[in-house]
Amino acid sequence: MELDQKHEVVSEVIGHNGPFGRLSDVYRSFHERREALGLSNPGTVENIAKEVQRDVFLNNLSFSGLRAELTKAFSVAPLFQVSHSLAMGSQMQPPYSYGALYGSSKVFLQGNLDNDLQFSGRFNWRWTQAFVTKTSVQLTSQGNMLSLENDYTGSDFSASLKAVNPSVLDGGITGMVMGSYLQAVTPRLSLGIDAFWTRPAMAYAPELNVSYAARYKAANWMACGQIVPDRGVLEASYWRRLSEKVETGINCNLAFAGIGPGGPMGAMQKEGSVTIGAKYDFRTSSFRAQIDNQGKVSCLLEKVIAPPIRVTFSGEIDHKQNAAKLGLAVSIEAADSEVMEQQEQAPADAGAIPF
């Protein structure tokens, strides 16, 4: 017993007075000051301009032709649903595709198969509340793609590591590797870094591009920027909420790299694009519109006819190319009465699905 007590005393003396004790005190002091700032998670570098790119702009929402989608939900907790999609007059969408989705607090599964037997799937697994592994695969006639991603969401930072088509079969590492880190410095300001490494084959030299990002978020407006010094690319975005129903955003992209028309001895080529957009939310619908410096005007109207029926209209006019696109989509979400009751009774604090 006396020997055990002596060991405990020696361990306490070393822990408080040795180098480990000093490191522990420094870490404890840093952690306390960090918590005193009251910082929150700033999001990710990939979604640093999500208020502009996802909420206001319709770059990923516009379409052409006719579309119809029928979704059937079988349960809410866990989430399980299947869908049938039909498309006409669109070069981006297949004529028919079948999809299935399953999600719980730990796992997320999604698969799509079209009429040409082209398959795309996603599998996400939540190891802890902060650590999620995401996997996606695409099997098409043009080629296959495999993506592996690990995301860690801390209390005041986010870190991500992603690899696309990684391989060591050619005698070395090939593919694409991306890593990002975004840290909240103050309750409103966040700073981040993003690195992109690519090597399509061993015959090519590897290429590394590093970008730096900053984001400032206030109560009703947001400004962010990202710069890639090696490529001479600068991108800036600004978002503002004018009222409870109106949001606006602007994005500016400038590039000062590349070889101009005069060849290697000519002047450096300069390119730029500016896009301005707005979103208005009605009681049962929403309207988005945007215009860029190339003369392209786009709009998107989403209307809920009834709780299970949604109609979407998309229009685009390209004055520079003298072209126009129109799209109309109808989406129907069906569910049994028991499933609808489960959805209404589901608690708001239920475990989030790792999408």
Side-chain angles (χ1 to χ4, degrees):
M1 183 68 66
E2 294 180 359
L3 185 61
D4 294 338
Q5 293 178 353
K6 290 181 180 180
H7 281 299
E8 292 179 359
V9 172
V10 172
S11 299
E12 291 180 0
V13 172
I14 295 176
H16 289 284
N17 299 326
F20 295 102
R22 295 178 182 177
L23 291 175
S24 178
D25 293 339
V26 171
Y27 175 78
R28 189 182 301 109
S29 176
F30 173 77
H31 186 68
E32 292 175 355
R33 294 181 181 180
R34 194 172 173 180
E35 289 184 345
L37 294 175
L39 304 177
S40 59
N41 185 270
T44 62
V45 175
E46 181 181 3
N47 298 324
I48 195 171
K50 62 180 180 179
E51 289 87 352
V52 177
Q53 298 292 345
R54 294 192 177 186
D55 296 344
V56 176
F57 287 177
L58 48 107
N59 297 330
N60 300 325
L61 300 175
S62 61
F63 62 95
S64 62
L66 300 177
R67 288 170 48 187
E69 182 174 355
L70 174 62
T71 302
K72 171 69 174 180
F74 293 93
S75 65
V76 176
L79 177 63
F80 177 63
Q81 63 184 33
V82 298
S83 63
H84 302 268
S85 299
L86 300 172
M88 293 177 59
S90 175
Q91 297 180 354
M92 304 299 296
Q93 297 290 334
Y96 171 78
S97 65
Y98 172 81
L101 184 148
Y102 174 85
S104 66
S105 60
K106 279 284 188 181
V107 64
F108 172 74
L109 286 167
Q110 184 181 22
N112 290 278
L113 184 67
D114 62 18
N115 56 291
D116 293 329
L117 300 181
Q118 298 185 125
F119 174 80
S120 64
R122 296 170 57 196
F123 172 71
N124 300 347
W125 178 264
R126 185 188 300 277
W127 301 95
T128 64
Q129 194 64 26
F131 184 55
V132 178
T133 297
K134 301 178 180 180
T135 305
S136 63
V137 60
Q138 290 184 1
L139 305 177
T140 65
S141 57
Q142 290 80 16
N144 304 327
M145 189 199 75
L146 173 65
S147 173
L148 304 173
E149 182 177 1
N150 292 296
D151 294 340
Y152 188 88
T153 305
S155 58
D156 58 359
F157 73 94
S158 295
S160 175
L161 181 62
K162 182 178 181 180
V164 179
N165 287 342
S167 177
V168 294
L169 301 179
D170 297 335
I173 300 177
T174 59
M176 293 182 291
V177 179
M178 292 152 281
S180 63
Y181 181 85
L182 187 63
Q183 172 70 57
V185 181
T186 68
R188 294 186 176 183
L189 178 63
S190 304
L191 301 177
I193 185 173
D194 182 85
F196 178 79
W197 182 92
T198 178
R199 190 173 194 176
M202 292 301 297
Y204 298 90
E207 183 179 355
L208 176 64
N209 293 306
V210 180
S211 63
Y212 306 92
R215 170 185 167 92
Y216 190 90
K217 178 71 166 63
N220 58 355
W221 64 273
M222 182 279 304
C224 67
Q226 197 166 1
I227 182 172
V228 187
D230 297 336
R231 289 185 172 269
V233 177
L234 173 64
E235 184 175 3
S237 300
Y238 178 79
W239 168 86
R240 186 173 184 87
R241 182 183 296 277
L242 301 179
S243 65
E244 294 183 358
K245 297 183 178 181
V246 182
E247 304 175 35
T248 60
I250 181 172
N251 176 266
C252 179
N253 192 305
L254 302 175
F256 303 94
I259 300 176
M265 302 302 295
M268 184 176 295
Q269 188 176 5
K270 301 177 182 179
E271 296 180 355
S273 63
V274 179
T275 305
I276 302 175
K279 177 185 177 184
Y280 192 96
D281 290 324
F282 298 90
R283 186 173 62 88
T284 59
S285 61
S286 65
F287 177 76
R288 292 180 174 93
Q290 71 180 44
I291 182 173
D292 60 19
N293 63 321
Q294 301 296 326
K296 183 183 295 184
V297 182
S298 307
C299 67
L300 184 79
L301 175 63
E302 294 178 310
K303 172 69 175 179
V304 178
I305 305 299
I309 304 175
R310 178 185 298 269
V311 177
T312 305
F313 171 79
S314 176
E316 178 182 296
I317 300 177
D318 193 337
H319 292 88
K320 185 177 181 179
Q321 301 293 334
N322 195 21
K325 297 179 181 179
L326 292 176
L328 180 64
V330 178
S331 177
I332 301 176
E333 297 182 0
D336 297 335
S337 58
E338 297 180 357
V339 176
M340 298 180 65
E341 292 178 359
Q342 292 178 8
Q343 188 174 3
E344 294 176 356
Q345 298 175 0
D349 57 348
I353 299 175
F355 288 109

